[in-house]
Amino acid sequence: MNRNYRMRLYMKDHLPLYLFVSVLFVMGVVFGALMVNALSPGQKEEMARHINSFIQIVNQGSEFGGQTTLWESFSLHLKWIMLIWVLGLSVIGLPLIFLLDFLKGVLIGFSVGYLVGSLSWKGMLFAFVSIAPQNLIVIPALVMCSVGACAFSIYIVKNRFIQKRGALYPMFVRYTSMAFSMAALLFGVALFEAYLSPVMIKWVTPMLVAQAG
């Protein structure tokens, strides 16, 4: 109960940061989706060819995913977490944290926007099974890490440089523990991407190929 109370208090105290980071991410998604319109017809055709080729390969029974995908996916997620964590320690890294959140939104918005815009309902279905599930966890995890990093940076400035009071070590431990918790959560996401996402993609590819034909 005490832990739940502290969590609610933490969320309440940092609600403006959560709102700001979330809005920044949404702006990135919108910007990424709009970027699709900036692609030339040749670029769109080339990307569509790669996607259709991948769908055909999967439909023919080729194996993908597994341990290699697990570690590649987890390594990518871990790099985002570690970079945000380091920027939170640096104090001057706050703008870069916000930039990372915006760029993450751009990447997701562009990917989904391209798939839907170029492949119609096929793209929506493909995005639903290949992009959406893991990002339901990845996005909140990155938002929490970003807010934690911003809060720690603000704490350093306020309590060490301005007021010059307050113990830094307990806050550092909580901040680092939060980052490790999010990393562990994203390892679970990497497991999903490596072993369950390929199954979902294989399940829908016959429908995509049938529509393409």
Side-chain angles (χ1 to χ4, degrees), residues 17-175:
L17 277 176
Y18 276 104
L19 290 175
F20 180 76
V21 171
S22 299
V23 169
L24 197 62
F25 174 80
V26 171
M27 290 174 59
V29 171
V30 173
F31 184 78
L34 293 176
M35 282 179 61
V36 176
N37 297 325
L39 293 175
S40 67
Q43 289 173 320
K44 291 181 180 180
E45 183 178 345
E46 180 68 19
M47 293 177 67
R49 185 159 53 247
H50 285 300
I51 292 174
N52 285 323
S53 176
F54 174 76
I55 291 173
Q56 292 286 349
I57 291 173
V58 172
N59 190 58
Q60 291 169 5
S62 297
E63 294 296 325
F64 67 104
Q67 188 172 356
T68 300
T69 300
L70 168 64
W71 294 114
E72 287 179 351
S73 176
F74 180 60
S75 175
L76 179 61
H77 295 319
L78 187 61
K79 288 175 183 176
W80 279 89
I81 296 293
M82 292 300 296
L83 184 54
I84 292 173
W85 179 79
V86 170
L87 290 173
L89 294 177
S90 68
V91 178
I92 60 174
L94 275 177
L96 293 178
I97 294 173
F98 298 144
L99 179 61
L100 284 176
D101 293 324
F102 181 78
L103 288 178
K104 187 65 175 180
V106 170
L107 291 173
I108 295 175
F110 180 83
S111 300
V112 175
Y114 172 77
L115 288 172
V116 175
S118 298
L119 303 179
S120 186
W121 77 268
K122 291 194 301 174
M124 184 177 297
L125 180 61
F126 190 73
F128 182 77
V129 298
S130 63
I131 298 176
Q134 56 266 37
N135 280 297
L136 292 176
I137 304 298
V138 171
I139 294 169
L142 292 180
V143 168
M144 289 189 67
C145 284
S146 298
V147 171
C150 294
F152 185 73
S153 293
I154 293 171
Y155 178 86
I156 293 176
V157 173
K158 182 178 179 180
N159 294 278
R160 304 302 293 180
F161 297 115
I162 299 178
Q163 299 177 354
K164 294 185 178 181
R165 62 182 178 84
L168 182 61
Y169 182 72
M171 287 294 296
F172 172 77
V173 171
R174 285 196 289 270
Y175 172 51

Side-chain angles (χ1 to χ4, degrees), residues 171-192:
M171 287 294 296
F172 172 77
V173 171
R174 285 196 289 270
Y175 172 51
T176 303
S177 298
M178 181 273 298
F180 272 109
S181 298
M182 292 302 102
L185 180 63
L186 292 182
F187 181 75
V189 172
L191 284 171
F192 173 86

